[in-house]
């Protein structure tokens, strides 16, 4: 595994193939594995809209989606 830094991106290389990169405030991945919780959202902004969605793996193997403000 190697990291390649350029003026526009940070690329993570495996066998000389880019498997993940960070560029323009975005992260890209060929495959991703989340072990516990995947959180998507943002802090409360000036218009008081904001919060987070949490994807969590339950003990029975099911996936739950929950909304939270903080």
């Amino acid at each position: 595994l190697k990291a390649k830094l350029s003026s526009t991106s940070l690329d993570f290389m495996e066998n000389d193939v880019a498997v993940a990169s960070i560029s323009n405030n975005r992260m890209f991945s060929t495959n991703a594995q989340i072990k516990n919780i995947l959180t998507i959202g943002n802090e409360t902004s000036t218009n008081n809209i904001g919060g987070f969605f949490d994807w969590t793996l339950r003990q029975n193997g099911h996936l739950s989606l929950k909304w939270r403000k903080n």
Side-chain angles (χ1 to χ4, degrees):
L1 192 65
K2 295 179 184 178
K4 179 181 171 185
L5 180 62
S6 71
S7 62
T8 58
S9 69
L10 171 60
D11 298 319
F12 298 92
M13 313 293 289
E14 187 172 355
N15 298 323
D16 294 324
V17 175
V19 295
S21 64
I22 300 172
S23 178
N24 297 321
N25 293 323
R26 288 182 169 79
M27 184 170 62
F28 303 91
S29 177
T30 303
N31 296 298
Q33 182 173 344
I34 308 299
K35 299 266 185 180
N36 294 310
I37 298 172
L38 172 63
T39 299
I40 301 171
N42 60 1
E43 300 283 331
T44 303
S45 59
T46 54
N47 59 4
N48 216 19
I49 297 173
F52 301 91
F53 284 103
D54 291 328
W55 287 97
T56 58
L57 184 60
R58 296 163 55 185
Q59 287 185 346
N60 64 5
H62 294 179
L63 191 61
S64 293
L65 176 63
K66 294 184 179 181
W67 168 257
R68 64 181 168 88
K69 288 296 281 182
N70 296 13

